[in-house]
Amino acid sequence: MESIEYIEKLSTSSKKASLALRTLPSKQKNDFLRDLAANLRKAEETLLEENQKDLITGKENQLSSALLDRLELNPVRIEKLAASVEEIANLPDPVGEIIRGNLLPNGVRLLTQRVPLGVVLVIYESRPNVTIDVGALSFKSGNACILRGGKEAIHSNLALANIFRQTLRETGLPEDALHLVEKTDRSLIIPLLQQDKYIDLVVPRGGEGLIRFVSENSRIAVVKHDKGVCNLYVDESADPKKVTDIVVNSKTHRPGVCNALENLVIHKDYPHKSELLKTLQEKGVELYLDQELLQVCPSGEEADESQYETEYLDLRLAAKQVDDLTGAIAFIQTYSSGHTEAILAENQSTIETFIGSLDSAALFVNCSTRFHDGGEFGLGAEVGISTGKLHVRGPMGLVHLTTTSTILYGNGQIRA
Amino acid sequence: MESIEYIEKLSTSSKKASLALRTLPSKQKNDFLRDLAANLRKAEETLLEENQKDLITGKENQLSSALLDRLELNPVRIEKLAASVEEIANLPDPVGEIIRGNLLPNGVRLLTQRVPLGVVLVIYESRPNVTIDVGALSFKSGNACILRGGKEAIHSNLALANIFRQTLRETGLPEDALHLVEKTDRSLIIPLLQQDKYIDLVVPRGGEGLIRFVSENSRIAVVKHDKGVCNLYVDESADPKKVTDIVVNSKTHRPGVCNALENLVIHKDYPHKSELLKTLQEKGVELYLDQELLQVCPSGEEADESQYETEYLDLRLAAKQVDDLTGAIAFIQTYSSGHTEAILAENQSTIETFIGSLDSAALFVNCSTRFHDGGEFGLGAEVGISTGKLHVRGPMGLVHLTTTSTILYGNGQIRA
């Protein structure tokens, strides 16, 4: 019961703060963000101390080195965090943008403008920089936010949230514009997901389990940031000079992220199958191959079906040979998570058939899957990559933290 | 168990049909819709017979005359239904529209285009025309649809769905592009709402109970079409020549719809309070008034708080006097359902303060709330009026039955 009261207080105070934020002029918002960046730099010592507590607990709990790395703050990362807040200050303000307008036949002037959503809830894991990134993006778009980070990063997250709230106080803004949920037991998530009266959007970022849990229990509208089982098809018409670079870049440039390649599909008549697989192995990639590809690359392991459904986030890759384009499309339709698919081919009609047959957030032709990113798309900072189809699909930017409101200016008109 | 299998078959066959629809050229879609209109006209006799069965059951079950009226088909309404399908054929096809595009700094060409959602589920009540309207809008936007109409209209809905499916067969298209759920017991709704693997969107249209039930139980993304508790504020600066016409039109033009006025808020110094209330009474409107307004209109009934939260959908109106603009805004912030608010005023700064302080799907200045409608907004036919903030807010048109997919055409680019 105590925790329900805590959640209700959190939600109502966020809603109240959001009313003050929604009409805040851009200049005031940008000034706040620059102050926040300065305060982050000033607080380096405290941040490192608090982060150290999380790292020690993490080591005691035997977190993997990859997880410890995601958790770590250091002077370079703190500077990056401050710089990214300044970058958000420099982005155009989406609030107030008129996205549609016309004079209706009856003389009423109609304007549809972007307005803030209100209160945004983001549930995420390990990386403490999300606390500041999402806080700054929500603030810039005129929203209050409630952040529920992982237990393993609680000291770092609290320190960051404190700096954010302190900066709000210093600049005369309501500190409840950002809340970090201090109690990280999972039992608090369900009552949070029932606050649809006060919270307008929930963004779960994390593993499949978390996302399923949120979708099943939320009364609030959800924008999912789910896994990316990215597929890349090498057609017989592909230009071998491009193939190796693109496949290696897609898989090895940053294997731990959602736009990294997971399944490689190769046309049986692509002449350089063996070299391609060998190059991947030389780059340290472990290969899971079907019977046909094992014949050209016997040092690979045999793939089983479940491997084509797996997001490795690691230097591991499943590969499959197909007889033709139809086979490639059927394979991708079966295993795709709707995130990212790519084709390497020079035959234009093959490319267009591939694009017309597949339905994913982004489709890549003769370039790396690693370009599936808000920054690369030219959208600026992003909340993440939405794998749902409603509201936003693909990179979720500032604009997607807004909704619309339509104003109709009349002069006495009534409906006949 | 049998019903779970039925729902799974429905969902998987819809998904399969949606794959055939997603790349259908506009011309073929428009030809189909014109054939559908012709078949509806030809089937007039059957439609009237089947509708008669629903009307007889409805009378036996003592449905209100308003409900029986919503249920009724007659030759004029069938002709209207056919004409609205032809209108949808004439609307521009949203699928394939490029909504964003640029050449990235690395030379990759990026295009974001509209693509169909896939499978759309609509849950609605009584009016059988929804079966054809939503069927035609879904089809035009390249989606398969699953329709779950009310028990009271089942014979009419089945007859209409049969004509739709027969036209699909005749034109060589998959008949599973439209499914009407034949079993109308409510127990089937929960398994339907769990088919997030196959269904991409659910739109509940109906009473609060239905909408709450769907929001609480759906794993599929929901776009709600909830109630409209529309508020209109008459400022002291309002032009009395406009006030009476606009208030009467907002309340009495069609009281049974969501954009009809429910709460009237009047500035204490508006000089024509008494005449305004009297005119409403003369138009047959029953008034619920606070103490102050009862003094100028003693024949009204005394309002209690709950009446300001009620969507009457009837010739009844609650009214409240306020001391100033701040009081009006506070009242509306308390009772608004976020659908429609209006201000009648000539003072520009009053108008801008009102607009800046309220957050609803549409805000009306000196014109009737009855304009909150896709047709009036110039969007063509609509699925309904969304009261949520995500994906679409306000009139939901063809465009909102699509999502986006981004294509990147490269020439060997990799990420550095």
Side-chain angles (χ1 to χ4, degrees):
Chain A
M1 195 54 208
E2 196 202 327
S3 44
I4 305 269
E5 275 162 26
Y6 167 67
I7 291 300
E8 276 178 5
K9 206 179 140 216
L10 214 68
S11 310
T12 52
S13 64
S14 296
K15 185 77 190 175
K16 202 175 154 208
S18 78
L19 296 179
L21 258 54
R22 61 189 304 281
T23 49
L24 216 57
S26 293
K27 181 170 182 325
Q28 217 177 319
K29 291 193 280 194
N30 298 338
D31 286 348
F32 165 83
L33 291 170
R34 292 190 185 105
D35 288 348
L36 173 62
N39 285 343
L40 285 167
R41 290 189 179 105
K42 270 190 268 174
E44 187 187 293
E45 205 176 323
T46 317
L47 287 173
L48 293 176
E49 272 170 33
E50 294 301 309
N51 183 243
Q52 202 52 43
K53 295 182 191 166
D54 290 330
L55 289 173
I56 289 169
T57 316
K59 278 173 202 152
E60 280 168 12
N61 293 335
Q62 298 181 304
L63 293 189
S64 72
S65 59
L67 268 180
L68 287 172
D69 178 64
R70 287 160 70 90
L71 201 53
E72 185 186 328
L73 290 178
N74 55 41
V76 174
R77 286 182 181 182
I78 292 170
E79 172 51 36
K80 265 198 185 167
L81 208 50
S84 87
V85 172
E86 286 169 334
E87 238 177 75
I88 293 169
N90 293 333
L91 288 174
D93 190 340
V95 175
E97 190 195 349
I98 310 282
I99 56 166
R100 200 178 100 84
N102 53 319
L103 194 65
L104 303 182
N106 58 12
V108 169
R109 192 158 41 89
L110 177 152
L111 313 173
T112 298
Q113 60 173 359
R114 291 197 200 282
V115 297
L117 284 170
V119 179
V120 173
L121 165 64
V122 181
I123 304 176
Y124 55 103
E125 291 167 353
S126 62
R127 279 165 58 204
N129 65 306
V130 175
T131 307
I132 293 298
D133 285 348
V134 170
L137 286 165
S138 300
F139 181 86
K140 172 86 181 199
S141 50
N143 296 290
C145 67
I146 300 176
L147 303 175
R148 200 285 195 184
K151 187 175 59 185
E152 67 288 352
I154 187 67
H155 291 98
S156 316
N157 285 338
L158 273 173
L160 291 164
N162 282 341
I163 296 167
F164 203 110
R165 287 169 64 93
Q166 169 210 328
T167 314
L168 284 165
R169 278 195 306 274
E170 284 170 8
T171 48
L173 293 166
E175 61 176 351
D176 294 335
L178 181 137
H179 273 299
L180 182 84
V181 182
E182 293 176 28
K183 303 179 185 177
T184 55
D185 46 309
R186 199 150 184 176
S187 66
L188 282 186
I189 295 188
I190 290 195
L192 258 176
L193 295 175
Q194 289 171 346
Q195 304 297 320
D196 53 332
K197 201 171 158 191
Y198 304 109
I199 304 176
D200 300 285
L201 167 68
V202 52
V203 179
R205 286 177 52 153
E208 257 182 288
L210 170 70
I211 288 168
R212 188 105 203 140
F213 181 82
V214 171
S215 307
E216 284 177 11
N217 291 289
S218 184
R219 281 192 201 163
I220 307 164
V222 181
V223 170
K224 297 181 218 184
H225 292 229
D226 211 339
K227 68 175 177 178
V229 179
C230 308
N231 298 279
L232 182 146
Y233 168 56
V234 180
D235 187 52
E236 61 174 326
S237 73
D239 176 355
K241 288 195 296 290
K242 299 173 190 163
V243 168
T244 310
D245 282 353
I246 293 175
V247 172
V248 167
N249 187 257
S250 297
K251 180 68 240 183
T252 68
H253 182 253
R254 201 169 163 203
V257 294
C258 63
N259 59 20
L261 181 62
E262 304 294 4
N263 289 327
L264 177 64
V265 186
I266 313 180
H267 191 289
K268 70 174 178 353
D269 298 326
Y270 176 68
H272 308 279
K273 291 184 281 195
S274 157
E275 297 92 308
L276 175 59
L277 296 172
K278 209 177 141 203
T279 307
L280 283 163
Q281 286 182 321
E282 284 165 9
K283 300 280 176 184
V285 179
E286 204 168 293
L287 296 177
Y288 308 109
L289 307 174
D290 67 352
Q291 291 303 332
E292 287 72 19
L293 292 176
L294 274 175
Q295 285 174 22
V296 299
C297 179
S299 57
E301 285 179 47
E302 193 178 334
D304 67 53
E305 174 123 349
S306 72
Q307 285 170 306
Y308 296 125
E309 297 170 341
T310 306
E311 186 187 33
Y312 289 112
L313 300 171
D314 198 356
L315 283 178
R316 293 190 279 168
L317 181 70
K320 162 96 182 165
Q321 177 173 310
V322 292
D323 288 342
D324 51 20
L325 175 64
T326 311
I329 291 170
F331 175 89
I332 296 176
Q333 283 174 337
T334 307
Y335 297 108
S336 163
S337 67
H339 192 291
T340 304
E341 328 299 344
I343 179 170
L344 309 186
E346 296 298 316
N347 182 310
Q348 198 264 350
S349 103
T350 301
I351 293 168
E352 292 302 319
T353 304
F354 183 89
I355 287 173
S357 308
L358 293 172
D359 181 23
S360 288
L363 302 167
F364 293 77
V365 179
N366 292 327
C367 57
S368 172
T369 61
R370 288 281 294 126
F371 290 124
H372 199 175
D373 171 274
E376 294 292 326
F377 278 24
L379 299 175
E382 62 174 35
V383 183
I385 305 231
S386 161
T387 51
K389 292 185 183 177
L390 281 246
H391 191 65
V392 49
R393 193 180 200 201
M396 182 175 191
L398 269 181
V399 124
H400 307 113
L401 293 172
T402 66
T403 181
T404 63
S405 177
T406 298
I407 308 171
L408 292 96
Y409 289 96
N411 193 17
Q413 287 86 345
I414 59 170
R415 192 154 162 189
Chain B
M1 197 51 209
E2 196 200 328
S3 42
I4 305 269
E5 275 164 26
Y6 167 68
I7 291 300
E8 276 180 3
K9 206 179 140 213
L10 214 69
S11 310
T12 51
S13 64
S14 295
K15 186 74 189 180
K16 202 176 156 206
S18 78
L19 296 179
L21 258 55
R22 63 187 303 279
T23 49
L24 216 57
S26 293
K27 179 168 184 328
Q28 216 176 320
K29 291 193 278 194
N30 297 338
D31 286 349
F32 165 85
L33 290 170
R34 293 189 184 105
D35 288 347
L36 173 62
N39 285 344
L40 286 167
R41 290 188 179 106
K42 270 190 267 175
E44 186 187 293
E45 205 176 322
T46 316
L47 288 173
L48 293 177
E49 273 171 31
E50 294 301 310
N51 182 243
Q52 202 52 44
K53 294 181 192 166
D54 290 330
L55 289 173
I56 289 168
T57 315
K59 279 173 201 152
E60 281 169 9
N61 293 335
Q62 300 180 302
L63 292 190
S64 72
S65 59
L67 268 181
L68 286 171
D69 177 65
R70 286 162 70 90
L71 201 53
E72 187 186 325
L73 289 178
N74 55 40
V76 173
R77 288 183 178 181
I78 292 170
E79 172 50 36
K80 266 199 184 165
L81 207 51
S84 89
V85 171
E86 286 169 336
E87 240 177 74
I88 293 169
N90 292 333
L91 288 175
D93 189 339
V95 175
E97 191 195 347
I98 310 282
I99 56 165
R100 199 179 101 84
N102 54 318
L103 194 64
L104 302 182
N106 58 11
V108 169
R109 192 157 42 88
L110 176 152
L111 313 171
T112 299
Q113 60 173 357
R114 290 197 199 284
V115 298
L117 284 170
V119 179
V120 173
L121 165 64
V122 182
I123 304 178
Y124 55 103
E125 292 167 353
S126 63
R127 280 165 59 202
N129 65 306
V130 175
T131 308
I132 293 298
D133 285 349
V134 170
L137 286 165
S138 301
F139 181 85
K140 173 86 182 201
S141 50
N143 296 290
C145 67
I146 300 176
L147 303 173
R148 200 286 195 182
K151 186 175 60 187
E152 67 288 351
I154 187 69
H155 292 98
S156 315
N157 285 338
L158 273 174
L160 290 164
N162 281 339
I163 295 166
F164 203 111
R165 288 171 63 94
Q166 168 210 326
T167 313
L168 284 164
R169 278 196 304 274
E170 284 171 10
T171 48
L173 292 166
E175 60 176 353
D176 294 334
L178 180 139
H179 274 297
L180 182 85
V181 182
E182 294 177 27
K183 304 179 186 177
T184 54
D185 47 309
R186 200 151 183 177
S187 67
L188 282 186
I189 295 188
I190 290 196
L192 256 175
L193 295 176
Q194 289 170 345
Q195 303 297 318
D196 54 331
K197 200 172 159 191
Y198 304 110
I199 304 177
D200 300 283
L201 166 69
V202 52
V203 178
R205 287 177 51 153
E208 258 182 286
L210 169 70
I211 288 167
R212 190 105 199 138
F213 181 81
V214 171
S215 307
E216 284 178 12
N217 291 289
S218 185
R219 279 191 206 165
I220 307 164
V222 180
V223 170
K224 297 181 216 183
H225 292 229
D226 211 339
K227 68 176 178 178
V229 179
C230 306
N231 298 279
L232 182 145
Y233 167 57
V234 180
D235 186 52
E236 61 174 327
S237 74
D239 176 354
K241 290 196 296 292
K242 298 172 190 163
V243 169
T244 312
D245 282 354
I246 293 174
V247 173
V248 168
N249 188 258
S250 296
K251 180 69 242 183
T252 68
H253 182 253
R254 202 169 162 201
V257 294
C258 64
N259 59 21
L261 181 62
E262 305 294 4
N263 288 329
L264 177 64
V265 186
I266 313 181
H267 191 286
K268 71 175 178 349
D269 298 325
Y270 176 67
H272 308 278
K273 291 184 279 194
S274 158
E275 298 92 305
L276 175 60
L277 295 172
K278 207 174 143 208
T279 307
L280 283 163
Q281 287 183 319
E282 284 164 9
K283 299 281 177 185
V285 179
E286 204 169 291
L287 295 177
Y288 307 111
L289 306 175
D290 67 354
Q291 292 304 332
E292 286 72 21
L293 291 176
L294 274 174
Q295 285 173 24
V296 300
C297 179
S299 57
E301 286 179 46
E302 191 178 332
D304 67 51
E305 173 124 348
S306 73
Q307 284 170 306
Y308 297 125
E309 295 170 342
T310 306
E311 186 188 32
Y312 289 113
L313 300 172
D314 198 357
L315 283 177
R316 292 191 279 169
L317 181 71
K320 163 95 180 166
Q321 178 173 307
V322 291
D323 288 342
D324 50 20
L325 175 64
T326 310
I329 290 169
F331 175 90
I332 296 176
Q333 282 173 337
T334 307
Y335 297 109
S336 162
S337 67
H339 192 288
T340 303
E341 328 301 342
I343 179 170
L344 309 186
E346 297 299 316
N347 182 310
Q348 197 263 351
S349 103
T350 301
I351 292 169
E352 291 304 318
T353 304
F354 183 90
I355 287 173
S357 308
L358 293 171
D359 181 25
S360 288
L363 302 166
F364 292 77
V365 178
N366 292 327
C367 57
S368 172
T369 61
R370 287 281 295 123
F371 291 125
H372 200 175
D373 171 273
E376 294 291 326
F377 277 23
L379 299 175
E382 62 174 37
V383 183
I385 305 230
S386 162
T387 52
K389 291 186 183 174
L390 281 247
H391 191 63
V392 49
R393 194 181 198 201
M396 182 177 190
L398 270 181
V399 126
H400 307 114
L401 293 172
T402 65
T403 181
T404 62
S405 176
T406 298
I407 307 172
L408 291 97
Y409 289 96
N411 194 17
Q413 286 87 345
I414 60 171
R415 192 156 163 188

